[in-house]
Amino acid sequence: MSTPYPFTAIVGQDDLRLGLLLNAVSPAVGGVLVRGEKGTAKSTAVRALAALMPEVSVVPGCRFSCDPVSPDPACPDGPHAEAAGVSRAARTVELPVGASEDRLVGALDIERALSEGVKAFEPGLLADAHRGILYVDEVNLLHDHLVDLLLDAAAMGASYVEREGVSVRHAARFLLVGTMNPEEGELRPQLLDRFGLTVEVAASRDTDERVEVVRRRLAYDDDPEGFAARWAGEESALRERIAAARALLPRVVLGDGVLRQIAATCAAFEVDGMRADIVMARTATALAAWAGREEVTADDVRQAALLALPHRRRRNPFDAPGLDEDKLDQTLDEAGPQENNDGDDQPDPDPDGGGDDGGGGGGVPPQADGDRTPPRGESGDTPSQAPEGSPDAPGRSTGAEQQPVASAEPFRTKMLSVPGLGEGAAGRRSRARTEHGRTTGARRPQGALTKLHLAATVRAAAPHQRARGRSGRGLVVRRDDLRQATREGREGNLVLFVVDASGSMAARQRMSAVKGAVLSLLLDAYQRRDKVGLVTFRGKEAEVALPPTSSVDAAASRLESLPTGGRTPLAAGLLKAHDVLRVERLRDPSRRPLLVVVTDGRATGGPEPVALAGRAGRLHRSEGTASVVVDCESGYVRLGLAGELARELGGTAVTLDELRADSIAGLVKDVTAAGRAA
C-alpha cells in the first residue's frame, strides 16, 4: 500500500481542509462537496484525511462493520453474539464513475432466493464504507440513479436492496465526500442540497505559495515514506485534536439566540426546505468543538453559513454559486445579539467576518468577470436596445462587427427529441433501452443478471419441473431459466447548436431574442442530462465556440460573449458541425446527436452559397442526423429560407414563437378569456 500524502503538508486550501475536518469531527454534518478546477489537491486532501480518522472497533467476521457495543439488529450477517471487537483503521472507499448499481448497493443471488428462499447477499461499496469515508471523484459524472441511491443511503444511514419481493437492509453511515470540476457539468440543485457543506478550491496565484506546493510535491514523489515521517508529528497532533473535538462535541451548547441567527440567515437567503438550518446548526456546533469551546458563537454561525448555504441558493445552472457576505453580516446583526433567560447577551457577530477556528473563511468562489452570466436587467450590463430597422440598429451594417448583445429572458421550450429507439446514457430526452424505466419484455441475460423478469423466468422454468425431480412446493430454477427484463426509458443526447452570428442576425432585438431562445434550449438540455456543443458562423468562417461538454453554463457564458456581424457562411457552419459530430461518434458511439441550427436561412459569401449550404445539409441527412432549424426570420416579407434548409437537412423547422412550450396553451387561454368577456 502506498504512503498517502500527509494532510498537514497540504499548502493553503483552508476551506477544503476545514470542511473535511468538520466532517471528521461530526459526521452528522452530512459530508462535503469539493468544487474546483483540476490540479487543486482535491483528491489528495480526501485520501490524506483517512489517515487522521480514529480507528473503529468492529464485530469479528462481520462484512458490514457492525459496532460490537451496539450491533445492527438487522445486519444480514447477524444476529451477533456478545464478543470482543477488533480494531482497524477507518476505510476510505472510492466509488468509480463507471460503477454499476450492484457494485454500489450490493447484489442478491436471485437464483438461490427463488429456489431455496435464502437471502444470499454480496455486499457492495456502501457496506464497505460503513463507519468510514466514501469518496466519489467526479460525482457530477455519475449516472443519476446511482447518485440518488448514494445520497438516499447517506441521508437515511442505511442501504436497501429490493429485488422481486426479496429485501435486504444494512447500516450504511459514512462520511460522504464528492469532488467535481464544474467545467464538466453541474449537479442538479436537489442533489447539491444533499451534501452538507460545499467548498470552492482554486490554484493559488501567490508565487511563493505555488513554489512551496511544487517543492513539497517533488520531495514526496522522491521519498514518500521519508516525507511522511517528517510530518508525522503534525499528523499526530491533528489526529489528537480531532479526537478531542469529538469528545467535546456532545457538551457544546447551541443557545436560542444562535438558533435564531441560523433561522434568520436561512430565511434571508431563501433556501428551500429546512435541511440548511439543520446543517448550519450541526456545522456551527462542530466549529465550536473544533475550537475547544462549549458554546457556539456568532462567528461559528457566520462560518457555517459560508460553508452550508452557497450551493443551496443555486436555482439553475446559470446561477453562480456563492454568498453575499455583506448581506450575511447584516442578517446576523439584525438577528442578534439576543438576551437569554439569565440576562446575558450573546456574543456580537464579528462585523469584519471570519473566525479563527481552524483557518479559512471563504465559501464564495473566486470569479472572473468573464465567467459569470450577467443578470438580466442589471444596470450597465444590457446594451441599449435600438429598434430593428432604425439607423442605430446593428443590423443596418452587415460588414462591421458588433458588440455582444445580452440575451432575453429564457423560457420553457417544447420537447425536441431524436426519433427511434437509442441505447445511450440515461437521460430525459429521447426514447432508449435503459436499465431503468418501464418493462417492455424479457431476454436471456448477457453477463450478470441485473433486473429479473420474474414472470418470464417462471415460464422458462415451469416445463422442466418434472424432469428436474421437483417434489416440494419450491420451484427448481436453473441459471438458464433466468430472464433479464428489457426496459424502455429516456436517454441523454448530444445537442449541437449551430448559431448564425452574421450581420443578417445582428439587429439587437432579434439577436437578443435568438440568444434567449438558445439559452432556453441550453436550460432544457441541462434538465434532460444532455451534452451540449456550440458552433458559430459569421464573416468568412465557422468556429467551434465550445466543444461538446456536460457543462451547459460554459455554453451559456460563450453565448453571452458572442459578437455578431459580417457575411453568412451557412455552409461553413454546417460543415464544421459535421466535423464535430464525426469526432463525437468515435468517442461516444451510443450517444445520438440532435443538430439545432439557429438561423434565418440566408447564405452569403463565396460562389453559390445557397447551393453549397444545401449540399452541406444533405450531408447531415445522409448520415441520419436528427435536426431542427429554429427560424429566426422576421419582418413582413419572409423568404422561407430556413424551411428550405430544414428540408435539405431532413429535419423540421420551428419559429422562435413556436419554440415556446406555452405558445399554443397561451393562445387557447386568450381565446377562452375573450369568449367569457363577450
Side-chain angles (χ1 to χ4, degrees):
M1 181 176 179
S2 60
T3 303
Y5 192 91
F7 190 88
T8 51
I10 296 173
V11 179
Q13 306 296 11
D14 293 337
D15 285 344
L16 170 59
R17 292 186 289 120
L18 180 60
L20 292 172
L21 289 171
L22 291 178
N23 275 275
V25 171
S26 175
V29 166
V32 59
L33 175 65
V34 186
R35 297 163 42 93
E37 59 196 27
K38 51 187 177 292
T40 49
K42 300 189 297 292
S43 300
T44 299
V46 175
R47 295 186 178 102
L49 179 67
L52 302 175
M53 298 291 287
E55 289 189 342
V56 295
S57 179
V58 299
V59 174
C62 178
R63 297 174 297 167
F64 301 88
S65 303
C66 278
D67 186 348
V69 177
S70 57
D72 181 7
C75 176
D77 285 354
H80 298 297
E82 293 186 7
V86 295
S87 295
R88 62 163 174 80
R91 293 172 178 160
T92 297
V93 177
E94 295 193 30
L95 173 60
V97 169
S100 66
E101 180 178 333
D102 286 346
R103 184 72 185 100
L104 176 63
V105 300
L108 288 170
D109 189 331
I110 300 296
E111 184 176 357
R112 291 189 63 191
L114 287 175
S115 59
E116 304 174 25
V118 176
K119 294 181 181 179
F121 181 68
E122 184 64 30
L125 294 177
L126 291 180
D128 293 340
H130 180 46
R131 304 176 67 198
I133 300 173
L134 182 61
Y135 171 46
V136 190
D137 193 14
E138 306 296 352
V139 65
N140 52 325
L141 301 183
L142 276 180
H143 290 305
D144 284 351
H145 68 282
L146 290 183
V147 177
D148 291 338
L149 290 170
L150 173 66
L151 296 180
D152 283 343
M156 296 185 296
S159 175
Y160 294 84
V161 182
E162 303 282 348
R163 293 286 172 82
E164 305 297 342
V166 181
S167 171
V168 171
R169 173 212 169 273
H170 65 83
R173 292 183 296 275
F174 45 80
L175 194 167
L176 176 62
V177 182
T179 58
M180 59 175 283
N181 184 349
E183 294 178 355
E184 297 173 343
E186 285 287 352
L187 279 173
R188 304 196 308 270
Q190 302 94 311
L191 302 183
L192 284 171
D193 183 59
R194 301 299 288 271
F195 283 93
L197 310 179
T198 186
V199 295
E200 296 278 342
V201 295
S204 172
R205 299 297 182 257
D206 180 80
T207 302
D208 293 336
E209 194 167 285
R210 295 174 73 97
V211 167
E212 186 61 23
V213 170
V214 175
R215 180 182 291 117
R216 293 185 185 182
R217 185 68 207 191
L218 293 177
Y220 170 78
D221 291 341
D222 289 342
D223 183 10
E225 294 183 0
F227 184 82
R230 290 195 293 274
W231 289 89
E234 288 83 350
E235 291 283 287
S236 178
L238 187 57
R239 192 178 298 109
E240 291 175 0
R241 185 177 177 186
I242 292 173
R246 280 192 168 193
L248 178 62
L249 188 65
R251 303 198 302 273
V252 175
V253 177
L254 190 69
D256 289 343
V258 171
L259 276 175
R260 179 173 293 276
Q261 287 183 315
I262 290 173
T265 301
C266 293
F269 285 100
E270 300 179 349
V271 296
D272 295 332
M274 296 298 299
R275 183 174 287 117
D277 304 62
I278 296 171
V279 171
M280 273 190 65
R282 290 171 174 167
T283 304
T285 304
L287 281 163
W290 179 246
R293 288 184 273 102
E294 294 188 4
E295 186 175 6
V296 177
T297 68
D299 284 344
D300 297 328
V301 175
R302 186 182 193 279
Q303 181 69 67
L306 291 171
L307 292 170
L309 296 188
H311 60 302
R312 291 186 165 86
R313 300 190 64 247
R314 189 180 178 93
R315 294 293 187 270
N316 65 62
F318 312 132
D319 292 339
L323 215 60
D324 184 340
E325 296 196 42
D326 291 336
K327 181 178 179 180
L328 173 60
D329 291 333
Q330 180 181 353
T331 302
L332 292 175
D333 286 338
E334 292 174 352
Q338 298 284 334
E339 289 190 356
N340 59 25
N341 295 332
D342 297 328
D344 296 330
D345 289 342
Q346 294 288 337
D348 292 332
D350 182 3
D352 296 327
D356 57 355
D357 299 333
V364 180
Q367 297 177 7
D369 293 340
D371 294 334
R372 177 179 175 268
T373 302
R376 313 289 178 257
E378 197 171 73
S379 176
D381 286 353
T382 303
S384 60
Q385 303 288 320
E388 187 172 351
S390 69
D392 296 331
R396 300 284 294 179
S397 170
T398 60
E401 178 177 319
Q402 306 297 329
Q403 293 299 316
V405 178
S407 66
E409 286 289 342
F411 52 85
R412 189 166 63 90
T413 66
K414 287 184 177 179
M415 174 69 168
L416 304 177
S417 62
V418 179
L421 192 63
E423 296 182 347
R428 295 185 176 181
R429 184 172 297 278
S430 305
R431 293 174 55 224
R433 299 183 185 91
T434 60
E435 289 293 321
H436 296 267
R438 62 185 182 91
T439 300
T440 58
R443 59 175 174 81
R444 290 181 180 273
Q446 299 172 352
L449 178 71
T450 56
K451 298 292 181 182
L452 178 74
H453 194 296
L454 182 59
T457 299
V458 172
R459 285 196 299 268
H464 309 290
Q465 295 307 296
R466 182 175 296 178
R468 293 174 182 174
R470 174 185 171 185
S471 58
R473 298 177 60 185
L475 190 68
V476 182
V477 179
R478 303 283 171 80
R479 174 69 185 176
D480 291 342
D481 301 327
L482 299 179
R483 294 295 182 267
Q484 174 84 23
T486 58
R487 301 193 174 192
E488 182 178 311
R490 293 280 175 175
E491 68 177 358
N493 298 110
L494 166 59
V495 182
L496 182 61
F497 294 92
V498 182
V499 180
D500 185 348
S502 64
S504 66
M505 303 280 289
R508 285 192 180 275
Q509 287 182 340
R510 189 197 303 186
M511 199 61 201
S512 177
V514 168
K515 285 188 175 183
V518 177
L519 197 66
S520 303
L521 290 167
L522 283 171
L523 182 58
D524 182 68
Y526 165 77
Q527 294 168 340
R528 300 190 187 280
R529 316 294 180 259
D530 295 318
K531 290 180 68 174
V532 297
L534 179 61
V535 173
T536 63
F537 59 93
R538 54 181 289 274
K540 297 181 179 180
E541 60 184 13
E543 66 171 346
V544 181
L546 182 71
T549 176
S550 297
S551 179
V552 295
D553 51 344
S557 177
R558 303 290 172 87
L559 180 70
E560 286 289 343
S561 60
L562 178 66
T564 58
R567 294 186 177 274
T568 313
L570 178 56
L574 295 175
L575 292 174
K576 181 67 72 174
H578 179 267
D579 291 341
V580 172
L581 294 180
R582 178 177 54 82
V583 173
E584 286 302 308
R585 284 191 181 99
L586 297 175
R587 290 177 176 172
D588 190 357
S590 64
R591 187 180 290 269
R592 297 187 295 165
L594 175 63
L595 184 67
V596 179
V597 185
V598 185
T599 181
D600 56 10
R602 291 181 172 86
T604 60
E608 300 183 346
V610 177
L612 187 58
R615 288 197 295 270
R618 291 191 293 274
L619 179 61
H620 283 281
R621 184 175 63 183
S622 67
E623 296 186 353
T625 303
S627 60
V628 175
V629 177
V630 180
D631 185 358
C632 303
E633 192 174 23
S634 61
Y636 295 106
V637 179
R638 295 175 181 257
L639 303 178
L641 297 175
E644 293 182 10
L645 176 61
R647 286 189 289 274
E648 297 287 7
L649 286 165
T652 59
V654 296
T655 65
L656 289 175
D657 289 336
E658 292 171 341
L659 190 62
R660 293 179 177 269
D662 57 355
S663 57
I664 297 177
L667 177 62
V668 172
K669 187 184 297 182
D670 292 342
V671 171
T672 304
R676 288 175 179 172

